[in-house]
Amino acid sequence: MVRTLEIPTRGKGLHPITRHVQEVVSASGVVEGLCTVMVQHTSASLTIQENADPSAAHDLERWLDRLVPEDDPRFTHTAEGPDDMPSHIKAALTSTTLSIPVVDGRLALGTWQGIWLWEHRRHPHLRRCVVHVGS
Amino acid sequence: MVRTLEIPTRGKGLHPITRHVQEVVSASGVVEGLCTVMVQHTSASLTIQENADPSAAHDLERWLDRLVPEDDPRFTHTAEGPDDMPSHIKAALTSTTLSIPVVDGRLALGTWQGIWLWEHRRHPHLRRCVVHVGS
Amino acid sequence: MVRTLEIPTRGKGLHPITRHVQEVVSASGVVEGLCTVMVQHTSASLTIQENADPSAAHDLERWLDRLVPEDDPRFTHTAEGPDDMPSHIKAALTSTTLSIPVVDGRLALGTWQGIWLWEHRRHPHLRRCVVHVGS
């Protein structure tokens, strides 16, 4: 089964999507299998990270922002704004696709793991994630 | 279905392989399913990135080159040349495997997404990618 | 088939798990298919890297340690110790999930590729990896 999720973001940062992905798994009826999520964009990405303490997501986002600053004069891909090329780089350094085993009809995530959509652009976007569930 | 692609590279940089992967999907006859690509090397990697404006791939490659310079005197793994250890690091920071849902017999990539084989060594190589297509 | 591996680590560094994952593939009886590994933690990760010369794993680990130092005064997520937030960042920069095609009942890794569990915390931990094998 394949479904497409449309996730509105509020600009730069990590947006939790575990619940949305689990809903697709539940709707599929798959009890034991594999769930794959792919974000259909090159300036947003995916990560599995700490779901409990928001300070971890905050520090993670800030750290990557320092690693890939917007004002690099060596960038040539600048037509779409100063936050565009850093967004591509951040997406390449994190994940575009994730595959998570399904056990007893649930994503087999660890206790502290959540799935996050990582918006790298400054402005809010509607992001599409394709979810495949197989057995 | 599993097939192996042999991709000749021209040295450092991003080489587009979307068409080759789609050919395997088409040959498989799978209409709705999942396509997984794995590069069988540790000094080349995979990424899903902007497929329209070549300046994005250029800047991405240059940025990673600056992050992981060749002349780091702390490297001890130097027997295969100065571009070898940086290649392993670049591969670890990007992707060795990617899984892409298939819808209507096509890779469900976003409008601006392409699959790229990223050569990290200076010299041309023949790189092998294993492609699995399942339903 | 889904199985959970429990891997004891000896603190920071790369621990080889190819043999353990292959054992799950062999037990599954799958001849041609796909094997997915997911680590159920956010301060450890996975990578496919050079399996022959230990200096590559050593340099890789040291390089990432320099990129993400422990003593960053801008971290706010510090309750679990100075090595915790760097561990989350390192996990986000590497892989939480990997999918490897299976051919003739074997993981279709390249000659020099091995699967590694990467412990990012200073102290030994028991880490859980969920392995799915499908056809």
Side-chain angles (χ1 to χ4, degrees):
Chain A
M1 192 178 91
V2 179
R3 288 287 178 277
T4 300
L5 300 173
E6 298 204 326
I7 314 281
T9 68
R10 297 176 308 277
K12 269 191 186 185
L14 291 138
H15 298 71
I17 61 168
T18 312
R19 187 171 54 83
H20 306 290
V21 179
Q22 177 61 51
E23 282 168 7
V24 178
V25 172
S26 299
S28 75
V30 168
V31 175
E32 186 170 287
L34 187 69
C35 173
T36 297
V37 189
M38 187 191 78
V39 61
Q40 283 189 314
H41 307 272
T42 60
S43 56
S45 59
L46 300 171
T47 193
I48 294 178
Q49 268 296 325
E50 163 100 20
N51 63 3
D53 183 346
S55 65
H58 170 87
D59 284 1
L60 182 59
E61 209 272 329
R62 297 284 90 200
W63 186 89
L64 193 60
D65 236 24
R66 294 193 293 271
L67 184 71
V68 195
E70 287 191 5
D71 53 1
D72 192 323
R74 290 160 295 195
F75 289 150
T76 64
H77 181 79
T78 54
E80 292 170 67
D83 58 333
D84 187 54
M85 193 57 225
S87 297
H88 293 313
I89 295 171
K90 291 168 179 178
L93 293 176
T94 54
S95 297
T96 298
T97 77
L98 294 171
S99 291
I100 302 147
V102 172
V103 176
D104 293 336
R106 310 286 306 172
L107 294 162
L109 294 165
T111 310
W112 308 107
Q113 287 183 313
I115 311 173
W116 302 81
L117 172 63
W118 201 335
E119 175 63 70
H120 300 301
R121 301 296 307 259
R122 287 186 196 166
H123 295 293
H125 282 76
L126 189 63
R127 299 301 197 174
R128 293 165 62 92
C129 293
V130 185
V131 183
H132 174 272
V133 189
S135 55
Chain B
M1 193 177 90
V2 180
R3 289 287 179 277
T4 300
L5 300 172
E6 298 204 326
I7 314 283
T9 68
R10 296 176 307 277
K12 271 191 185 185
L14 291 137
H15 299 72
I17 61 167
T18 312
R19 186 170 54 82
H20 306 290
V21 178
Q22 178 60 53
E23 282 168 6
V24 178
V25 172
S26 300
S28 75
V30 169
V31 175
E32 186 170 288
L34 188 69
C35 173
T36 298
V37 189
M38 187 191 77
V39 61
Q40 284 189 313
H41 307 272
T42 59
S43 57
S45 60
L46 301 171
T47 193
I48 293 178
Q49 268 297 324
E50 163 100 20
N51 62 3
D53 182 345
S55 65
H58 170 87
D59 284 1
L60 182 58
E61 209 273 328
R62 297 284 90 199
W63 185 90
L64 194 59
D65 236 23
R66 295 193 293 270
L67 184 71
V68 195
E70 288 193 2
D71 53 1
D72 191 323
R74 291 160 294 195
F75 289 150
T76 64
H77 181 79
T78 54
E80 292 169 66
D83 58 332
D84 186 55
M85 193 58 226
S87 298
H88 293 312
I89 295 171
K90 291 169 179 177
L93 293 176
T94 54
S95 297
T96 298
T97 78
L98 294 171
S99 291
I100 302 148
V102 172
V103 176
D104 293 336
R106 311 286 304 172
L107 293 161
L109 293 165
T111 311
W112 309 107
Q113 287 183 314
I115 312 173
W116 303 80
L117 172 64
W118 201 335
E119 176 63 70
H120 300 301
R121 301 297 307 259
R122 287 185 194 167
H123 295 294
H125 281 76
L126 189 63
R127 298 302 196 173
R128 293 166 62 94
C129 293
V130 185
V131 183
H132 174 270
V133 190
S135 55
Chain C
M1 193 177 90
V2 180
R3 288 287 178 277
T4 301
L5 299 173
E6 298 204 325
I7 314 282
T9 68
R10 294 176 308 277
K12 270 191 185 182
L14 291 137
H15 299 71
I17 60 167
T18 312
R19 186 170 54 82
H20 306 290
V21 178
Q22 178 59 53
E23 282 169 5
V24 178
V25 172
S26 298
S28 75
V30 168
V31 174
E32 187 170 286
L34 187 68
C35 173
T36 298
V37 188
M38 187 191 79
V39 61
Q40 284 190 312
H41 307 273
T42 60
S43 56
S45 60
L46 300 171
T47 193
I48 293 177
Q49 269 296 324
E50 163 100 21
N51 62 3
D53 183 345
S55 64
H58 170 87
D59 284 1
L60 182 58
E61 209 273 328
R62 297 284 90 199
W63 185 90
L64 194 59
D65 235 24
R66 294 192 293 270
L67 184 71
V68 196
E70 288 193 2
D71 53 1
D72 192 322
R74 290 161 295 195
F75 289 150
T76 64
H77 181 78
T78 53
E80 292 170 65
D83 58 332
D84 186 54
M85 193 58 225
S87 297
H88 293 313
I89 295 171
K90 291 169 179 177
L93 293 176
T94 54
S95 298
T96 298
T97 77
L98 294 172
S99 291
I100 303 147
V102 172
V103 176
D104 293 336
R106 309 287 305 173
L107 294 161
L109 294 165
T111 310
W112 309 107
Q113 288 183 313
I115 311 172
W116 303 81
L117 171 64
W118 200 336
E119 176 62 70
H120 300 301
R121 302 296 308 258
R122 287 186 195 165
H123 295 293
H125 282 75
L126 188 63
R127 298 301 197 174
R128 291 166 64 94
C129 292
V130 184
V131 183
H132 175 270
V133 189
S135 56

